[in-house]
Amino acid sequence: MRLVRFGGAALALVALSCSLNERRTVDDTRLAQLWESPADLERRDLFYGAGGAQNAPDPNELYEFKEEKAVGTQPGYDVEDSKGREWSVKLGEEARPEVAVSRLVWAIGYRQPSVYYLPRWTLVRDGKRTTQPGGRFRLDDTKNLAEWSWRQNPFLHTQQIAGLYVLMVMVNNWDIKSQQNAIYEYKAKAEHHGPRQQYMVKDLGASLGRSAWPVGGSKADPAGFEDEPFIERVQGNRVHFGYQGSWLEPQLVRSITPADVRWTSELLARVTPKQWSDAFRAAGFSEAEGKRYIRRLHEKIAEGRALGQF
Amino acid sequence: MKLAQLAAAMMLAAARLEGQEADAELPVTPNTELFAKIERAIIRIHSIFGRPVHPVIGGVGPGGGWGAGIGYDAPVPRPWHGGAKAIYTTNSYYVAEAYAGYDGRRGELEIFGRGRDMTRLDYFGPGPSSNLFDRTNFRLRDPVVGGHGKFRVSPSLAVGGRLEQLWPDVRAGRAPSIRSIEERFTEALAPGLAAQPRFGRYQASLDLDLPAGAGDAFYQGTRSRLTYALYDGQDVPGYDFRRSDIEVKQTFASFIAHHRLTLSGWMSTSMTSNGQEVPFYLQPTLGGKSAIRSVHEDRLGSDGTDATLRGYRNLRFRDRHLLLLQAEYRLPLWGPIDATVFADAGKVTGQRSDLDLTDLRRDFGFSLSVMKGWATAARVDVGFGSGEGTRVFLTLGELTP
């Protein structure tokens, strides 16, 4: 009799856990500030990304110096082109991964700023021209209203915020923190922009390498990226990743379910071979480097889609 | 044709030279340079600890203090793993161990060997009423070889086992200001003090994990474990016994985002035939953070810790039977820093019939942790309310001094 009672109680707990396994939802208007279902995913131009070809910077332009970047680990400038458009240029090892990852984030429906990579460009400072190494160009067509926090935001516990974190894990973005997130407002409204105010992960540069805790992972490091395991195990409806990043957000690390990983993996599985190639080509990676990243990402996608199949 | 090619090449070279009117220098502001220096320093430290042969810092057992040594992680492809480490601590404890195993999706298996010397383990006598002023200490060497494994029958259910051969050796304690065990206790009050047999340990276990709800759903999962072990005293008669342990841990979400309440319980009972005893050094213990365990042997514990009665000293109570109930409420403070408030209650008894909810030893307290995703990177627990003073326990990673 005692055994029957115990069994009944255990079954009730299982039923309770299953009934509470749905993620929170928010209305579509609100959600569109973060994510919009990418009905046209397979047709998206991952070479030019969210900003499109029309906004791309011209590598033959002269970029006038405005200001030097004062924070962060990567050097950079604010510059202005001949059309009067202002750009935030990031140099160093984060420039290429940031652009490639931005393309993937945007591909599966998340908001992203207009970012591009120029392998060489010319800076004019005090009338003197210098040829600069490759840099990430972010168009200053938005106003940065505020940071948004991974642990307190309007989309907390939704499928979309969990899916975004899974994507960060898949690309080994180890520097996840609120300071890398921004609520942007477009200065001028355009049809393709979507909502005027948007929630974005703007700084994606600490990606495509090996993650480490608390910081100090590598960036744009194909060998490190290939070596790092993706899914360690699933325990009690929570996924344990091999990924060591996001040290500031342990609650986020502990919140991911197998369904979240499958959701992101299914979206990424729709990216076409040409789009994969375009994303890495746009970021200045060589064809060989791009192939290595794409191969590893496909392995992760397959692992993610199979998750939960016992 | 060749002239045309030469001219084109010269024009291209001239164009390139024109583009390089000045060498490109990466502009680095002082602030950026500082951040970059810090990042480079951390990368350097990571690279030292990330090498196959690397330094290790940690503890060996209760009362041993912190130690340092050398570790080796075998560069074998996943899902295989292997490694070894040797640590020597400030209180002259040492451990040298090696292990190798396989961690698959459905199953895991590991073999191991370990030599360990703990020179000053506390012993206060058996039972729930042992006196703090009867504190003594003993030295335990417990070399062990064996293996353990687990097979997942379903996502929620796993069966496991552990086979070990151990050679315990109890000697006089070496703590300078504390009596040694034989000065205060006899075989009657410390079974196994006179002679220590070689033991075979044969254990089976069952793990049942019920899945947590997504996000901040109220139900955050149940973990439970049932183990049954046979201890076979092989060359000295009188020390055969059986032990069963049941542990349950239940977590709930609070009304506040990311807050969690964990309720946990542990009951351990030992059974012997007539004329047999459970050696004191293999009895389950209550008190503090540390316990004497085998290689890679864990408890479900409370929320992020396997501490027991945190208002008491390590190894404060021990006997054949044990009951522990814990409640712990976790709240994130900032970034990776979490706090918990907790209450512990438990008792040890010599008779199973005494294992009830009366006369429980109680304490309460708080902890601060630096979290590393799922794991705890560092944690301090402060326990009060025991009547035996305030206790502070520091844990670094999975290691306790």
Side-chain angles (χ1 to χ4, degrees):
Chain A
M1 191 60 193
R2 195 177 288 175
L3 196 65
V4 171
R5 277 187 202 153
F6 178 77
L11 281 174
L13 279 176
V14 173
L16 182 67
S17 67
C18 293
S19 67
L20 293 171
N21 205 22
E22 294 298 317
R23 282 220 167 259
R24 181 176 158 252
T25 55
V26 293
D27 70 80
D28 288 349
T29 312
R30 184 62 150 160
L31 184 61
Q33 293 185 307
L34 175 78
W35 180 85
E36 205 161 37
S37 181
D40 61 343
L41 192 156
E42 296 82 352
R43 295 189 303 279
R44 292 192 170 194
D45 182 349
L46 295 202
F47 188 80
Y48 287 110
Q54 68 278 13
N55 283 327
D58 182 351
N60 300 313
E61 273 250 26
L62 300 177
Y63 291 90
E64 189 72 35
F65 173 84
K66 302 287 285 183
E67 202 174 351
E68 207 166 281
K69 191 181 165 211
V71 292
T73 60
Q74 305 295 299
Y77 305 108
D78 287 341
V79 299
E80 187 177 311
D81 66 17
S82 60
K83 296 174 194 152
R85 298 184 304 175
E86 290 195 9
W87 298 88
S88 163
V89 184
K90 183 193 266 189
L91 305 172
E93 60 187 340
E94 288 190 8
R96 292 190 303 161
E98 181 155 322
V99 174
V101 172
S102 171
R103 296 294 187 266
L104 299 178
V105 173
W106 176 70
I108 65 168
Y110 292 98
R111 302 297 179 189
Q112 273 296 288
S114 306
V115 294
Y116 305 88
Y117 180 80
L118 291 185
R120 278 173 87 81
W121 57 285
T122 305
L123 177 75
V124 181
R125 185 174 186 174
D126 301 328
K128 186 178 167 189
R129 295 179 189 185
T130 56
T131 304
Q132 293 288 324
R136 179 230 60 192
F137 279 62
R138 184 169 68 213
L139 183 59
D140 186 21
D141 57 351
T142 52
K143 184 180 167 192
N144 189 339
L145 298 180
E147 288 173 3
W148 62 270
S149 155
W150 280 97
R151 65 175 68 185
Q152 288 294 348
N153 60 67
F155 318 102
L156 192 66
H157 299 314
T158 61
Q159 181 62 82
Q160 287 73 21
I161 205 80
L164 180 58
Y165 177 68
V166 171
L167 180 55
M168 296 299 100
V169 172
M170 291 177 96
V171 297
N172 283 7
N173 177 10
W174 50 262
D175 198 15
I176 287 180
K177 54 187 183 226
S178 301
Q179 293 95 310
Q180 317 288 42
N181 301 340
I183 304 170
Y184 280 130
E185 183 176 80
Y186 277 97
K187 291 174 181 170
K189 182 81 182 98
E191 186 65 28
H192 68 277
H193 286 155
R196 190 145 188 181
Q197 285 184 8
Q198 301 186 358
Y199 287 69
M200 300 183 197
V201 181
K202 67 181 173 64
D203 194 337
L204 296 159
S207 302
L208 299 179
R210 184 197 303 273
S211 68
W213 185 90
V215 292
S218 59
K219 306 160 186 173
D221 164 20
F225 188 72
E226 287 168 336
D227 285 349
E228 186 155 307
F230 178 36
I231 295 164
E232 295 268 6
R233 65 182 186 280
V234 177
Q235 187 167 56
N237 199 32
R238 291 291 186 272
V239 181
H240 294 237
F241 295 108
Y243 166 83
Q244 300 287 309
S246 59
W247 70 287
L248 282 165
E249 304 293 344
Q251 290 79 23
L252 198 57
V253 176
R254 301 195 294 257
S255 71
I256 300 302
T257 68
D260 301 330
V261 181
R262 286 196 299 272
W263 186 84
T264 303
S265 300
E266 291 298 341
L267 283 171
L268 281 174
R270 289 168 53 192
V271 176
T272 66
K274 180 179 182 307
Q275 287 175 310
W276 281 110
S277 171
D278 282 350
F280 284 90
R281 211 161 46 85
F285 286 105
S286 69
E287 195 180 336
E289 286 173 319
K291 278 183 177 169
R292 291 175 71 179
Y293 284 124
I294 293 164
R295 189 187 314 117
R296 181 65 186 128
L297 282 163
H298 275 121
E299 287 170 2
K300 290 182 174 183
I301 292 165
E303 224 178 310
R305 293 175 87 183
L307 203 58
Q309 293 172 10
F310 196 68
Chain B
M1 185 61 189
K2 276 185 182 173
L3 272 175
Q5 280 175 341
L6 185 63
M10 285 174 70
M11 282 172 67
L12 188 62
R16 279 183 182 159
L17 280 173
E18 193 179 357
Q20 293 170 350
E21 288 165 17
D23 285 340
E25 284 183 14
L26 296 185
V28 177
T29 62
N31 194 10
T32 299
E33 193 168 27
L34 175 67
F35 281 123
K37 270 184 184 166
I38 293 169
E39 195 175 275
R40 279 198 296 273
I42 292 169
I43 289 169
R44 202 164 294 136
I45 293 166
H46 270 299
S47 75
I48 292 168
F49 281 88
R51 288 174 190 157
V53 178
H54 54 84
V56 286
I57 297 166
V60 172
W66 289 100
I70 193 158
Y72 172 70
D73 294 326
V76 291
R78 295 170 61 80
W80 299 94
H81 72 269
K85 72 174 180 187
I87 295 179
Y88 191 84
T89 74
T90 50
N91 286 335
S92 306
Y93 284 29
Y94 76 75
V95 66
E97 69 181 31
Y99 48 87
Y102 172 87
D103 297 309
R105 198 162 57 90
R106 293 293 292 268
E108 55 195 67
L109 192 65
E110 185 178 69
I111 54 169
F112 55 79
R114 180 177 72 185
R116 181 169 63 169
D117 188 0
M118 296 175 286
T119 56
R120 46 196 291 181
L121 295 165
D122 278 345
Y123 185 66
F124 297 89
S129 306
S130 61
N131 194 324
L132 187 62
F133 297 103
D134 283 337
R135 184 183 183 196
T136 63
N137 80 112
F138 65 100
R139 180 180 186 179
L140 177 66
R141 288 178 175 167
D142 60 347
V144 59
V145 294
H148 64 99
K150 195 178 275 186
F151 177 74
R152 290 179 193 87
V153 180
S154 76
S156 295
L157 186 66
V159 291
R162 179 177 277 263
L163 296 174
E164 285 181 4
Q165 185 74 42
L166 61 154
W167 292 267
D169 176 18
V170 174
R171 297 187 182 193
R174 286 189 167 185
S177 56
I178 305 168
R179 283 177 294 176
S180 182
I181 188 168
E182 76 282 0
E183 295 171 29
R184 171 68 185 83
F185 296 103
T186 60
E187 173 74 18
L189 289 172
L193 182 60
Q196 298 85 48
R198 178 163 52 92
F199 279 98
R201 176 184 175 186
Y202 317 109
Q203 179 176 297
S205 65
L206 192 68
D207 280 72
L208 179 66
D209 293 350
L210 301 182
D216 269 344
F218 176 66
Y219 182 78
Q220 288 292 312
T222 307
R223 294 191 67 193
S224 57
R225 179 179 295 161
L226 179 67
T227 60
Y228 185 80
L230 296 174
Y231 286 79
D232 176 26
Q234 293 172 339
D235 51 359
V236 177
Y239 297 105
D240 292 345
F241 66 98
R242 305 172 302 282
R243 174 176 297 156
S244 66
D245 289 80
I246 182 162
E247 280 193 83
V248 180
K249 180 161 81 169
Q250 171 66 58
T251 306
F252 298 103
S254 160
F255 296 107
I256 307 169
H258 311 301
H259 287 215
R260 297 287 183 269
L261 171 67
T262 301
L263 305 175
S264 58
W266 173 30
M267 188 169 77
S268 177
T269 64
S270 303
M271 296 139 283
T272 56
S273 304
N274 281 342
Q276 304 291 319
E277 284 290 352
V278 180
F280 75 96
Y281 50 85
L282 289 176
Q283 289 173 350
T285 59
L286 282 182
K289 167 71 183 71
S290 296
I292 302 166
R293 299 214 181 90
S294 185
V295 178
H296 296 167
E297 183 181 32
D298 63 342
R299 280 205 317 111
L300 298 182
S302 180
D303 184 0
T305 180
D306 54 7
T308 54
L309 295 178
R310 282 164 277 189
Y312 294 86
R313 287 176 176 276
N314 282 322
L315 313 179
R316 176 66 182 83
F317 302 102
R318 70 173 82 205
D319 213 322
R320 296 160 64 120
H321 310 287
L322 175 150
L323 178 67
L324 175 67
L325 302 168
Q326 293 174 294
E328 191 140 5
Y329 185 83
R330 176 179 290 263
L331 53 157
L333 294 182
W334 172 87
I337 314 289
D338 282 3
T340 72
V341 289
F342 61 78
D344 308 317
K347 73 195 288 191
V348 296
T349 66
Q351 299 292 326
R352 192 164 22 169
S353 56
D354 294 335
L355 211 55
D356 53 24
L357 297 178
T358 60
D359 299 324
L360 297 176
R361 296 280 183 162
R362 295 182 180 87
D363 64 51
F364 59 90
F366 68 89
S367 79
L368 291 171
S369 317
V370 180
M371 300 305 296
K372 180 187 173 188
W374 286 95
T376 304
R379 172 169 173 146
V380 61
D381 285 271
V382 182
F384 314 94
S386 66
E388 295 188 4
T390 299
R391 312 303 313 171
V392 179
F393 300 97
L394 176 67
T395 311
L396 194 61
E398 301 302 316
L399 305 164
T400 305

